[in-house]
Amino acid sequence: MSARLSSSKIETDFLVVGSGVAGLRAAIELSRAGRVLMLTKGHPLESNSMYAQGGVAVALSEEDDVGSHLTDTLKAGHGLCRREAVRVLVEEGPERIQELIAWGAKFDKIGKRFAFTREAAHSRSRILRARGDATGNEMVRALMSYAARQPRIQRLDRRFTVDLAVVDGRCCGAIVLNEMTGERTVLPASAVVLSTGGAGQVYARTTNPGNATGDGMAMALRAGALLMDMEFVQFHPTSLYLPSSPPFLLSEAIRGEGGQLRNIKGELFMHRYHPDGALAPRDVVSRAIWSEMAATRARHVYLDVTHLGAAFVKRRFPTIYATCLRYDIDMTEEWIPVSPSAHYMMGGVWTDVQGATTLPGLCAAGEVACSGVHGANRLASNSLLEGLVFGMRAAQSAVAHAGRFPGPVRMPHLEELEQGWPTDFDDPEKLRSSLRRLMWGKVGLVRSGDSLISASAQLVRWMRLLTKPFASRAALEVKNMVQVARCITDAALWRENSVGAHYRSDFPEPNRPGWRQHSQLLFTDGQTSGSAAKERALVLSPPAPVRGKPGKKKAGRS
C-alpha cells in the first residue's frame, strides 16, 4: 500500500485535537482570536465526556464554598495535587458553569433550585446533574450547539491525528489520517490544543469507549513533551459485571443516594474497610471490592439499591435503569453484579496552570493532560469541571504563545513517510487483546515489582514490532496503546510505595522516602549500541529538572 502526504487546502490558525468538553471549550475560546479547526477521531459523540453520568462538582449551593471544595480535592489527591491548579479549578469553576447555563445547558432542579447531590469523598452536596444520569451528554450538547454558531470554528470528523508536526523544537501542526479515504494531510497551525481524552482501553475491563486509546499522550511523548504521573490510573469501583457484556459504568451517585455494596454471600462489607463505608474514596472502595472478591473466590460483588424504591431509582437513574434492563437486570428488584474497571487517567501530558506543555506551541486540557488537579486520586465529578476550566485556559495560553508557521513541515521521519506506507502488521486486534489482558493482569488495581517487570519486558518486545509508521487507524491505535501502557508500567515500577490509585503489594506503605516526587517520562534521542542509527528511548527521570515557564514552578515536585 502506498500513500503520499498532501498539503492541506484548509487554512486555520489553531488546531484542536479532540471534541469532548475540554476540546469544545478550547475551540470556543480560540475562535475569539482566529480560525479554529477541530479534529475528531471517529464519530464526534464518541468521547469520555459523553459517557460521564454522575455529574459535575461545583461550589454553587448556599451550603457550599470553594474552600471546602479545595480541601476535599486535596484530600482525595493524597498530598500529590498541585495546590495552585486545584485553587484555579474550584475558584473559576462556578463562573464556567454559569457560562455554560447561559449557553443553554439544563441541569436538574427541584422547584427553582438546582438539585445538588453528594458523591464519595465530598463533604458537601455539590454535584450538579442533568437528566438524572446524563450530565456529560448534556454538557457536550450545549457546547456543541454553541460552537456550531461560531463562524470561525470548523469541524473535521473521522480524522485520526497520527503525529504532531514539530519544527525547530516547536509544535506547528499535525499529520492527520482521513479514516474514509486513507489520505494523510499535513495541517499547519500557529498552536495546537490536545484534548484527546484518556487511555482506558489499554485495560481489559474499562468504562471508557473504544476510542480511548491514549493517542494524545503517545503523540505528545513522541514529539518531545513531558508526561507525568502515568502510574495513577483510577479504577471505578462499580461497573456492570456480566461475562457476555462490556463493562458499563454504574455512577458513584448511586452510592451517594444510599446504594450499598454486598459480597457474593450478601454481606455488607464496606464498614470493615473505611469509616465512611460505601462513601469512602474510590481507591479504597475499589480495593475493598477486590479483597472481597478474592476472599469469596468470586468475580464480582453486588450493588444493592432495592431499598431506595422503584419510583426514585427510575427517576434518578433513568439511563442506568434502562441499560440494566437490556441485560435482564431490574435494579429495582435485584442486586446488580459489579466489579472494578479502569476509568480515568490522573497522569498525562504535563501542563502548567495555564495549560501549556513543555513543548512550545502545544497546549493540553482534559483527561489527556496532567494539570496537577487530581494528584494520586481524582475526586469524583471533578473531571467535567476540569475540562471547562482548563479547556478555556489552554486556549488562552495557545493564543498568547502562538507562533508563526515556518513553512514546509519537516519531521525526522517525514521522508520515510512520503516514500509510502508499509503493510500493517498482521491482526492488530489480536495484539490489542493481548495487551489489554496483560495490563489488567499485571498492571491493574494491585501491582507488584515482579508483575511490573514481567509486563515491561513484554511491552518492550511489542514496541520493537511497532517502530515504523502504519497505514490503518487500528494499527496506529495499537501502537499508541503499547507506548502508553509502557509509560504506565515503568512509572508504576519506579514508584515504590502505595498512594491513592497506585497500590504496590510489595510496597504497601504510603509514606516511604521521596514519595512526594512525581514520575516523569520523556523520549530522548540516543545512539543504538553498535549502530549510527538513532532510536527513541524511554527515559524515566523523576529527579531531573524540567523546563517550565519563566517564573513558574518546575515540574517534578509538588
Side-chain angles (χ1 to χ4, degrees):
M1 176 179 182
S2 64
R4 293 186 63 84
L5 288 171
S6 63
S7 298
S8 174
K9 297 179 181 179
I10 300 172
E11 294 185 358
T12 190
D13 298 303
F14 304 102
L15 280 181
V16 177
V17 186
S19 55
V21 164
L24 286 163
R25 186 60 188 84
I28 291 167
E29 194 68 20
L30 288 167
S31 69
R32 296 167 182 166
R35 299 162 297 178
V36 184
L37 181 59
M38 294 191 71
L39 303 174
T40 302
K41 177 175 75 168
H43 193 277
L45 298 183
E46 285 294 314
S47 68
N48 275 348
S49 296
M50 286 292 295
Y51 290 88
Q53 298 171 351
V56 55
V58 61
L60 277 176
S61 74
E62 295 177 357
E63 294 79 23
D64 200 6
D65 59 82
V66 295
S68 296
H69 192 182
L70 184 143
T71 299
D72 290 348
T73 301
L74 293 175
K75 183 178 179 181
H78 292 274
L80 285 169
C81 296
R82 189 186 307 169
R83 189 181 185 92
E84 184 183 4
V86 178
R87 181 189 57 77
V88 166
L89 177 81
V90 300
E91 289 184 357
E92 296 183 9
E95 183 179 354
R96 297 284 75 78
I97 293 296
Q98 294 285 17
E99 175 183 69
L100 190 61
I101 292 169
W103 291 347
K106 299 184 185 302
F107 295 101
D108 294 349
K109 292 184 176 181
I110 299 175
K112 294 184 178 180
R113 293 189 175 188
F114 287 117
F116 291 98
T117 189
R118 183 179 297 193
E119 292 184 1
H122 286 272
S123 61
R124 310 285 173 85
S125 295
R126 65 167 63 96
I127 313 301
L128 275 178
R129 60 183 191 264
R131 305 198 302 277
D133 55 3
T135 312
N137 184 292
E138 172 62 15
M139 290 174 66
V140 170
R141 182 203 65 77
L143 287 165
M144 287 184 72
S145 176
Y146 189 81
R149 299 195 294 271
Q150 310 310 309
R152 286 178 161 183
I153 298 177
Q154 181 179 356
R155 295 180 60 104
L156 287 179
D157 298 330
R158 305 192 188 283
R159 298 304 197 277
F160 183 93
T161 303
V162 178
D163 263 315
L164 298 171
V166 179
V167 177
D168 297 329
R170 182 180 184 84
C171 182
C172 55
I175 295 176
V176 179
L177 166 69
N178 184 323
E179 297 175 22
M180 297 170 287
T181 67
E183 179 186 15
R184 283 162 175 75
T185 304
V186 178
L187 295 174
S190 60
V192 177
V193 175
L194 274 183
S195 55
T196 52
Q201 282 295 318
V202 303
Y203 287 95
R205 285 189 57 80
T206 179
T207 61
N208 292 183
N211 62 1
T213 52
D215 305 317
M217 298 171 195
M219 73 177 77
L221 184 72
R222 291 193 296 267
L226 174 79
L227 302 192
M228 182 173 284
D229 288 349
M230 292 294 287
E231 67 271 32
F232 294 124
V233 181
Q234 187 173 74
F235 292 83
H236 198 285
T238 53
S239 68
L240 181 65
Y241 180 85
L242 291 174
S244 60
S245 71
F248 174 77
L249 177 67
L250 295 166
S251 169
E252 196 95 37
I254 293 179
R255 283 177 286 122
E257 296 288 2
Q260 294 292 335
L261 290 166
R262 299 179 181 273
N263 63 23
I264 199 72
K265 299 177 182 179
E267 301 166 339
L268 297 173
F269 60 85
M270 276 307 304
H271 62 280
R272 299 200 302 267
Y273 295 90
H274 196 279
D276 290 338
L279 289 179
R282 282 182 175 175
D283 59 313
V284 175
V285 179
S286 293
R287 286 194 292 274
I289 291 174
W290 191 269
S291 296
E292 290 295 312
M293 288 163 55
T296 59
R297 297 184 178 180
R299 295 187 175 183
H300 63 82
V301 296
Y302 290 107
L303 180 60
D304 176 15
V305 297
T306 57
H307 57 289
L308 299 181
F312 173 79
V313 169
K314 292 177 184 179
R315 182 180 69 255
R316 178 66 178 84
F317 304 108
T319 304
I320 296 172
Y321 173 73
T323 300
C324 286
L325 275 184
R326 285 203 297 271
Y327 293 107
D328 299 322
I329 298 172
D330 185 344
M331 61 190 288
T332 66
E333 298 180 357
E334 53 192 313
W335 302 341
I336 312 165
V338 297
S339 69
S341 290
H343 184 58
Y344 193 90
M345 291 290 300
M346 273 77 72
V349 184
W350 181 90
T351 71
D352 62 17
V353 293
Q354 301 300 327
T357 74
T358 57
L359 177 63
L362 179 67
C363 297
E367 192 174 353
V368 71
C370 183
S371 65
V373 161
H374 306 304
N377 195 39
R378 177 176 69 95
L379 181 66
S381 290
N382 266 354
S383 54
L384 290 172
L385 192 69
E386 181 196 22
L388 286 177
V389 171
F390 288 93
M392 175 178 171
R393 282 186 158 239
Q396 292 174 334
S397 184
V399 172
H401 299 98
R404 285 185 171 275
F405 182 64
V409 175
R410 309 308 301 174
M411 296 178 67
H413 58 282
L414 198 56
E415 289 82 0
E416 178 188 349
L417 298 184
E418 289 178 336
Q419 291 170 5
W421 302 93
T423 303
D424 279 333
F425 58 91
D426 293 335
D427 202 353
E429 290 304 319
K430 181 178 180 180
L431 179 52
R432 181 176 181 138
S433 176
S434 297
L435 166 69
R436 299 177 77 227
R437 285 185 281 112
L438 175 82
M439 291 297 289
W440 182 254
K442 298 189 175 183
V443 197
L445 189 58
V446 177
R447 298 105 179 245
S448 71
D450 289 343
S451 72
L452 293 167
I453 289 170
S454 174
S456 184
Q458 180 60 65
L459 290 165
V460 169
R461 287 192 289 270
W462 282 335
M463 285 185 70
R464 294 192 186 114
L465 302 175
L466 303 171
T467 55
K468 293 182 178 181
F470 292 100
S472 68
R473 167 180 161 175
L476 291 163
E477 282 184 328
V478 171
K479 176 180 179 177
N480 290 337
M481 290 169 69
V482 171
Q483 289 184 324
V484 169
R486 190 183 171 198
C487 290
I488 295 169
T489 303
D490 283 12
L493 186 58
W494 168 81
R495 182 171 288 283
E496 294 183 338
N497 74 307
S498 294
V499 57
H502 169 74
Y503 187 83
R504 287 276 297 264
S505 59
D506 50 343
F507 292 104
E509 307 88 355
N511 297 330
R512 287 171 58 84
W515 72 275
R516 286 188 182 272
Q517 292 185 358
H518 294 264
S519 64
Q520 301 176 5
L521 291 151
L522 282 170
F523 269 131
T524 60
D525 288 334
Q527 295 292 332
T528 334
S529 177
S531 170
K534 286 189 175 182
E535 68 174 8
R536 294 203 143 191
L538 187 64
V539 175
L540 187 64
S541 52
V546 177
R547 172 167 50 86
K549 297 287 181 186
K552 299 291 185 182
K553 187 181 292 185
K554 301 290 186 181
R557 297 283 191 273
S558 62

